[in-house]
Amino acid sequence: MLYQINIFWNINESVMNILEQMLKRAQENPQRIVLPEGDEPRTLEAANILLKDKVAQIILVGDPKRIYEMAAEKGYEFIKEAKIVDPINDPKMPEYAALLYELRKAKGMTIEQATEKAKDPLYLGCLMIKNGDADGELAGARGTTADTIRPAFQILKTRPGVHIVSGAFLMFTPAKQLGENGFLVFADCAVNPCPNAQELAEIAVTTAETARALGGIEPRVAMLSFSTKGSAKHELVDKVTEATRLAHEMAPDLALDGELQLDASLVESVAAQKAPGSTVAGKANVLVFPDLQAGNIGYKLVERFSGADAVGPILQGIAAPVNDLSRGCKVQDIVQMVIITANQAIGMK
């Protein structure tokens, strides 16, 4: 039974189905999700909602006394079902410190430094995942993206065959004629300022995997540029065409094409003129931007001008699900991102 989650999704029915499917998967396969900012007010409210709807097994990091006091003051009765890990007094802290020391001793970390660093909730969350005590993490309501990603890089590292972490957004738009009934996935909109061709190819392949795992769609990936099939000559275009070639080598069965302008990617009449014969042009549902400036500006333009819901950023390429929040996030953002993190964890098993 849904509690408050469904009130967050005021969008068209076809897109609602995607979100409902993710929610159902999470409820049927409850994952252990760490929220390192356990006493952050929005996080605590979201945790109460998630626990009431049995979306995940929530692990809060923080002082148990403070967390329980805050929950009692707000009437969050389901917080009692959360596991609370105290980074100062938890009996497993020596085990986590030893694990961090083993992972970082080659970089010069001492056991004393590891013992202190393991008390940092963001490091502790990743150590719990590495130790098999959790399945995923969501943080960032208080800290920066760098604060969230750094421990993940050091402890969890990237997936085999992937050398770059990127950020995707699930875009739920009212334009049903575009993408998959208005649903598209954009990347990289959050992490890499200027990826090279190899990195861009990896971003394309991992974003396709995100679209398939979270959206339940068969991805059709457009490698975006200001040129379509050689209509312009520039080194920036060359980067995209090379990334397209490399992505085909990495995932030969993936429907992917480039370089394509945005209109040729999405509008069939334009695609017929600019990229005839393409299996992607005119019907792309995954858009890979050539750099972070284009990606970040692009998703925000769509969000503001069309009234789209942009859910993310969803971090891709890490060996286990670790996701980042904006410091300006709302409770609904945290709820949605926990559902997504749980779905990522399910997909990795």
Side-chain angles (χ1 to χ4, degrees):
M1 180 182 296
L2 297 181
Y3 170 48
Q4 295 182 16
I5 291 175
N6 59 347
I7 69 171
F8 297 150
W9 295 342
N10 300 317
I11 46 187
N12 72 60
E13 185 177 349
S14 60
V15 174
M16 172 76 85
N17 289 340
I18 293 172
L19 293 171
E20 293 283 6
Q21 287 166 13
M22 283 196 284
L23 175 59
K24 184 179 178 182
R25 281 197 296 269
Q27 290 172 319
E28 289 175 349
N29 302 276
Q31 301 296 296
R32 300 164 299 171
I33 306 300
V34 185
L35 303 178
E37 299 151 321
D39 61 358
E40 196 280 323
R42 293 162 296 176
T43 300
L44 199 61
E45 182 178 350
N48 189 63
I49 293 169
L50 291 157
L51 289 164
K52 181 174 178 62
D53 276 355
K54 302 185 185 305
V55 175
Q57 299 175 39
I58 298 297
I59 304 169
L60 299 172
V61 177
D63 177 2
K65 183 174 182 292
R66 174 167 171 74
I67 290 172
Y68 285 133
E69 285 176 350
M70 291 177 65
E73 182 180 335
K74 293 291 186 178
Y76 298 156
E77 59 181 309
F78 290 90
I79 292 300
K80 64 181 182 293
E81 296 180 11
K83 177 179 180 179
I84 299 179
V85 176
D86 182 350
I88 305 301
N89 299 310
D90 192 272
K92 294 195 77 169
M93 289 307 298
E95 185 177 337
Y96 295 134
L99 174 59
L100 182 58
Y101 170 66
E102 286 299 318
L103 292 169
R104 302 295 294 170
K105 64 182 180 182
K107 298 291 185 179
M109 181 174 282
T110 66
I111 186 62
E112 291 78 16
Q113 291 171 328
T115 299
E116 192 61 31
K117 183 64 75 174
K119 297 175 185 176
D120 181 328
L122 294 173
Y123 275 82
L124 179 54
C126 290
L127 287 166
M128 292 179 68
I129 296 171
K130 186 71 173 179
N131 203 49
D133 298 326
D135 302 304
E137 176 189 297
L138 177 65
R142 280 183 174 145
T144 66
T145 297
D147 292 336
T148 300
I149 293 178
R150 189 180 303 110
F153 271 137
Q154 294 180 4
I155 296 166
L156 301 170
K157 307 187 184 305
T158 55
R159 291 165 42 195
V162 177
H163 305 90
I164 190 169
V165 173
S166 58
F169 277 84
L170 306 184
M171 303 297 297
F172 300 105
T173 82
K176 290 187 178 183
Q177 75 277 15
L178 301 180
E180 208 73 25
N181 293 314
F183 171 64
L184 300 97
V185 184
F186 289 10
D188 176 9
C189 305
V191 181
N192 302 283
C194 192
N196 61 33
Q198 178 64 42
E199 292 168 337
L200 198 58
E202 290 188 7
I203 290 168
V205 173
T206 54
T207 307
E209 292 170 355
T210 294
R212 188 179 288 116
L214 299 183
I217 62 173
E218 191 55 35
R220 299 182 296 274
V221 184
M223 306 294 285
L224 297 181
S225 175
F226 61 86
S227 169
T228 296
K229 299 296 185 178
S231 64
K233 304 296 182 185
H234 193 277
E235 61 185 16
L236 294 178
V237 177
D238 295 340
K239 181 181 81 169
V240 178
T241 57
E242 176 64 6
T244 301
R245 184 187 69 80
L246 293 169
H248 279 305
E249 290 183 355
M250 294 172 60
D253 296 329
L254 177 63
L256 177 146
D257 202 5
E259 84 285 10
L260 295 171
Q261 292 166 296
L262 181 67
D263 55 354
S265 300
L266 296 175
V267 183
E268 291 197 47
S269 60
V270 176
Q273 296 178 21
K274 293 186 175 183
S278 171
T279 59
V280 170
K283 45 185 176 289
N285 53 26
V286 175
L287 302 183
V288 177
F289 293 82
D291 59 34
L292 183 56
Q293 289 195 95
N296 192 268
I297 293 167
Y299 98 80
K300 289 179 178 177
L301 277 173
V302 172
E303 184 180 32
R304 298 298 177 181
F305 276 80
S306 75
D309 285 317
V311 178
I314 299 160
L315 297 182
Q316 311 174 129
I318 303 173
V322 174
N323 281 310
D324 181 45
L325 294 161
S326 165
R327 280 171 285 180
C329 65
K330 301 174 183 176
V331 171
Q332 69 185 67
D333 300 323
I334 300 172
V335 170
Q336 288 173 344
M337 287 304 297
V338 167
I339 293 169
I340 286 168
T341 304
N343 274 262
Q344 287 178 296
I346 292 165
M348 288 183 178
K349 292 183 175 177

